[in-house]
Amino acid sequence: MAGAGGGNDIQWCFSQVKGAVDDDVAEADIISTVEFNHSGELLATGDKGGRVVIFQQEQENKTQSHSRGEYNVYSTFQSHEPEFDYLKSLEIEEKINKIRWLPQKNAAQFLLSTNDKTIKLWKISERDKRPEGYNLKEEDGRYRDPTTVTTLRVPVFRPMDLMVEASPRRIFANAHTYHINSISINSDYETYLSADDLRINLWHLEITDRSFNIVDIKPANMEELTEVITAAEFHPNSCNTFVYSSSKGTIRLCDMRASALCDRHSKLFEEPEDPSNRSFFSEIISSISDVKFSHSGRYMMTRDYLSVKIWDLNMENRPVETYQVHEYLRSKLCSLYENDCIFDKFECCWNGSDSIVMTGSYNNFFRMFDRNTKRDITLEASRENNKPRTVLKPRKVCASGKRKKDEISVDSLDFNKKILHTAWHPKENIIAVATTNNLYIFQDKMN
Amino acid sequence: MAAPLGTGTRTEEPGQEKQDAQEKAIAHPERAEEAKLKAKYPNLGQKPGGSDFLMKRLQKGQKYFDSGDYNMAKAKMKNKQLPSAGPDKNLVTGDHIPTPQDLPQRKSSLVTSKLAG
């Protein structure tokens, strides 16, 4: 695969792993989202327990020129709590579905985190000084008797141990009847969209008591429901353009200049299906679980159950590239339907230069496809490959026939070990890969 | 495989049928899988992507015990047994009233994430 430096294949090495070692995974510890911020200095994770953990990359050590800074815990907070919808007797899960970072405007960092119903804007700020020398207050906070004050002094700021504080600055609630699957910040850095199964809303980051509905696909009669919204994203450069994907494998591009309610798409991306290949599973496996624009804004990538597709925004009738993630599963669809794995929602991501795309699979495998060389690689996130700067060994799944040494047969794959969430540093060859409850960080070998 | 002479009207060997089936499975693995599924669950609906499946998705969420529903159902049923939860406890249907026996375990208290440990 072409590396960022050009010419050589990337050699991925284990860097760090975060999380508990034990096999008994508490539900709350299941990682549900992973996202680098715009500089790549910060890496945020959300979990099923509603918690957010943010890691910060250490400043590069001048003496250790052969490795980049490690990611260490910077801040952790409870973003969402479990709630209860009394009207329907339904619990509202605190699981963090998505985290999206705002670009940095000042010393503080801001991110949006969302569960099924409520989006929150969090401010993460550092405090490394505190005022000392008040006249009317003791250092421990107790008030002094004013009559005991004989001289006045000017309070000064003194350095203190770094404290990172997270505070919720906005709460965007009560706008979604169905479950939020996506949030996306507009390139105007003032608005963002949130999408649930049937509707997409547009918000202003400063305003919490109002949002505009921009897409509504709810039929008048719910019996006629045939498809739902699965993901949505704003275009990285055009503030009027966004896309949303559906459970039927289509992507609609909408232009907010065309009308206030974008129910009529500007473009419809759909690959024609061969009717002779149609089966009970066709629609289910065509459901798009993730859609991501390239950094350039020229392309978008979609992930369905078995493949990753790259679409040129100028061509609606078929993708320009298709990569098979785990085609060997096509002959296992019956059991994958029975154990519900066929409904797993895998995400996908681009590298910083849009030359490589990555997505997860089962057995803690993840796959990368180089768009230029057309080569692909399968790697495993496992504690067995624990030594830093040791290059990861490529994995291979044997679909049928004689299994070679070091290959793993399809029937031996562990379908409980799924990598649904991965993220690529915006500038470097550093990737974050989430297994069920652990976060792995891999880097390319620098030498 | 040619039929041996003198076998009359039968033109295919039983072995031929099996080979055809295997070839079909390789050419159309999805169809073979679909046949397997239909064999196991003959009552499976014709429209997999249709209403029922999507409605289930829209209603995802833990259904909890509602004392109002429960008592009304009890009053309606009088002496009869309340319908207990089927294998799919999370499916919200008109007749299913969660009973105290159906209640999931109470969630444990919130602690710091192990990723930060």
Side-chain angles (χ1 to χ4, degrees):
Chain A
M1 289 186 295
N8 302 317
D9 278 5
I10 302 180
Q11 297 187 293
W12 289 103
C13 304
F14 169 85
S15 175
Q16 298 168 269
V17 60
K18 308 278 184 193
V21 187
D22 53 76
D23 280 336
D24 197 16
V25 182
E27 265 212 40
D29 293 326
I30 296 173
I31 299 172
S32 50
T33 185
V34 181
E35 188 84 354
F36 279 101
N37 75 336
H38 292 258
S39 66
E41 187 205 353
L42 299 178
L43 175 61
T45 61
D47 66 21
K48 212 167 179 211
R51 302 164 299 191
V52 170
V53 182
I54 301 175
F55 303 92
Q56 182 188 42
Q57 192 178 29
E58 265 176 21
Q59 294 298 331
E60 271 184 44
N61 195 334
K62 295 289 190 272
T63 60
Q64 281 192 301
S65 58
H66 51 258
S67 75
R68 293 188 194 79
E70 276 198 345
Y71 282 85
N72 297 318
V73 179
Y74 178 66
S75 172
T76 177
F77 55 93
Q78 187 76 38
S79 171
H80 288 70
E81 309 249 349
E83 285 176 68
F84 200 74
D85 181 339
Y86 294 98
L87 192 61
K88 300 177 194 166
S89 296
L90 285 177
E91 184 186 28
I92 300 170
E93 263 196 306
E94 67 275 32
K95 170 167 79 87
I96 308 295
N97 292 333
K98 285 286 182 328
I99 288 173
R100 289 288 182 263
W101 289 93
L102 266 71
Q104 190 172 13
K105 285 194 286 191
N106 51 38
Q109 300 278 357
F110 287 86
L111 60 79
L112 284 177
S113 69
T114 187
N115 69 347
D116 282 339
K117 297 287 182 182
T118 305
I119 307 125
K120 295 187 184 182
L121 176 70
W122 287 89
K123 176 180 179 181
I124 296 110
S125 47
E126 293 184 359
R127 191 194 291 264
D128 61 357
K129 305 183 251 305
R130 67 157 172 254
E132 287 176 17
Y134 284 108
N135 292 291
L136 294 176
K137 256 202 300 197
E138 304 286 359
E139 293 309 327
D140 59 10
R142 282 179 303 146
Y143 282 98
R144 288 171 73 186
D145 180 356
T147 57
T148 63
V149 175
T150 51
T151 57
L152 288 179
R153 57 187 176 174
V154 178
V156 291
F157 276 102
R158 289 255 143 74
M160 61 179 254
D161 286 340
L162 179 67
M163 217 167 70
V164 181
E165 302 168 322
S167 59
R169 304 305 284 177
R170 305 271 187 278
I171 300 191
F172 305 92
N174 302 321
H176 286 279
T177 308
Y178 302 98
H179 302 292
I180 298 173
N181 52 57
S182 311
I183 45 175
S184 177
I185 298 170
N186 201 344
S187 51
D188 66 9
Y189 300 152
E190 284 189 351
T191 58
Y192 74 94
L193 64 76
S194 58
D196 67 30
D197 291 313
L198 296 178
R199 299 192 177 102
I200 302 180
N201 293 330
L202 180 72
W203 302 83
H204 191 285
L205 285 164
E206 300 288 326
I207 299 169
T208 58
D209 64 352
R210 254 173 303 167
S211 82
F212 287 105
N213 176 242
I214 52 177
V215 173
D216 188 339
I217 65 168
K218 184 177 179 186
N221 182 358
M222 282 300 267
E223 299 286 311
E224 290 163 10
L225 181 69
T226 54
E227 71 184 318
V228 294
I229 297 169
T230 52
E233 195 179 49
F234 264 120
H235 190 274
N237 307 317
S238 302
C239 58
N240 51 281
T241 304
F242 66 93
V243 293
Y244 68 93
S245 58
S246 85
S247 53
K248 277 184 148 174
T250 64
I251 310 102
R252 287 173 177 80
L253 184 142
C254 301
D255 186 333
M256 295 195 294
R257 297 169 300 187
S259 66
L261 189 60
C262 296
D263 278 359
R264 290 175 57 146
H265 54 264
S266 298
K267 293 194 184 192
L268 174 66
F269 297 84
E270 187 173 16
E271 184 165 26
E273 193 196 10
D274 182 356
S276 66
N277 278 340
R278 190 154 180 85
S279 77
F280 174 85
F281 304 110
S282 298
E283 193 172 305
I284 301 174
I285 62 171
S286 73
S287 176
I288 292 172
S289 48
D290 194 16
V291 64
K292 291 262 170 51
F293 277 105
S294 64
H295 293 90
S296 65
R298 164 94 189 262
Y299 298 98
M300 66 178 174
M301 164 168 54
T302 57
R303 175 69 155 97
D304 52 71
Y305 190 61
L306 298 178
S307 67
V308 160
K309 295 179 180 171
I310 313 279
W311 303 78
D312 184 325
L313 292 192
N314 299 315
M315 187 160 79
E316 297 168 62
N317 60 356
R318 60 180 166 80
V320 289
E321 295 154 40
T322 301
Y323 301 103
Q324 301 300 338
V325 181
H326 36 218
E327 178 68 13
Y328 45 79
L329 295 184
R330 200 180 288 271
S331 51
K332 301 287 171 194
L333 293 178
C334 179
S335 23
L336 292 168
Y337 180 87
E338 289 180 290
N339 62 19
D340 270 358
C341 283
I342 204 174
F343 301 108
D344 285 337
K345 297 185 178 60
F346 292 94
E347 292 174 8
C348 53
C349 62
W350 299 83
N351 73 339
S353 58
D354 296 336
S355 60
I356 307 175
V357 297
M358 170 167 66
T359 190
S361 179
Y362 294 105
N363 211 69
N364 283 349
F365 287 172
F366 57 100
R367 306 261 286 135
M368 293 184 191
F369 303 93
D370 187 317
R371 301 176 61 213
N372 299 323
T373 66
K374 301 300 178 199
R375 284 207 289 268
D376 60 82
I377 190 168
T378 305
L379 298 172
E380 182 180 359
S382 142
R383 283 175 185 269
E384 285 168 23
N385 308 325
N386 247 356
K387 292 169 67 175
R389 290 198 300 285
T390 307
V391 180
L392 295 180
K393 195 170 82 158
R395 297 277 175 236
K396 190 131 166 50
V397 177
C398 168
S400 58
K402 264 185 99 71
R403 185 179 73 86
K404 299 199 190 76
K405 183 167 110 75
D406 285 349
E407 283 186 357
I408 179 166
S409 77
V410 183
D411 297 309
S412 310
L413 294 174
D414 188 342
F415 290 96
N416 289 320
K417 293 190 178 169
K418 3 186 156 209
I419 290 180
L420 304 174
H421 312 286
T422 59
W424 203 306
H425 189 291
K427 301 182 173 69
E428 313 267 357
N429 283 333
I430 302 174
I431 54 175
V433 173
T435 59
T436 305
N437 65 328
N438 284 174
L439 182 72
Y440 286 78
I441 298 172
F442 300 102
Q443 298 183 2
D444 69 352
K445 190 177 177 122
M446 292 173 79
N447 261 342
Chain B
M1 207 150 62
L5 294 168
T7 49
T9 54
R10 200 192 312 161
T11 52
E12 267 189 25
E13 299 268 343
Q16 177 74 35
E17 278 181 25
K18 194 172 175 193
Q19 193 181 9
D20 278 350
Q22 276 177 359
E23 279 168 7
K24 238 191 208 157
I26 295 165
H28 297 282
E30 272 181 55
R31 291 275 182 79
E33 291 296 299
E34 180 174 3
K36 250 194 258 177
L37 194 69
K38 292 236 159 97
K40 272 195 188 179
Y41 307 101
N43 295 327
L44 209 52
Q46 278 307 107
K47 275 191 67 183
S51 256
D52 290 342
F53 165 58
L54 289 178
M55 288 300 280
K56 179 175 171 179
R57 182 197 172 121
L58 292 181
Q59 282 168 356
K60 164 194 94 151
Q62 197 71 34
K63 178 92 178 150
Y64 267 70
F65 177 66
D66 185 318
S67 62
D69 286 346
Y70 180 66
N71 284 311
M72 285 191 55
K74 244 169 66 169
K76 227 181 3 177
M77 289 295 194
K78 293 189 190 146
N79 292 329
K80 280 188 265 175
Q81 189 94 35
L82 270 176
S84 60
D88 190 358
K89 285 187 189 172
N90 289 333
L91 191 64
V92 178
T93 65
D95 291 334
H96 174 228
I97 310 296
T99 62
Q101 293 80 10
D102 298 345
L103 287 185
Q105 288 262 311
R106 189 191 171 276
K107 273 193 183 155
S108 57
S109 311
L110 302 166
V111 294
T112 312
S113 165
K114 293 195 180 119
L115 290 184

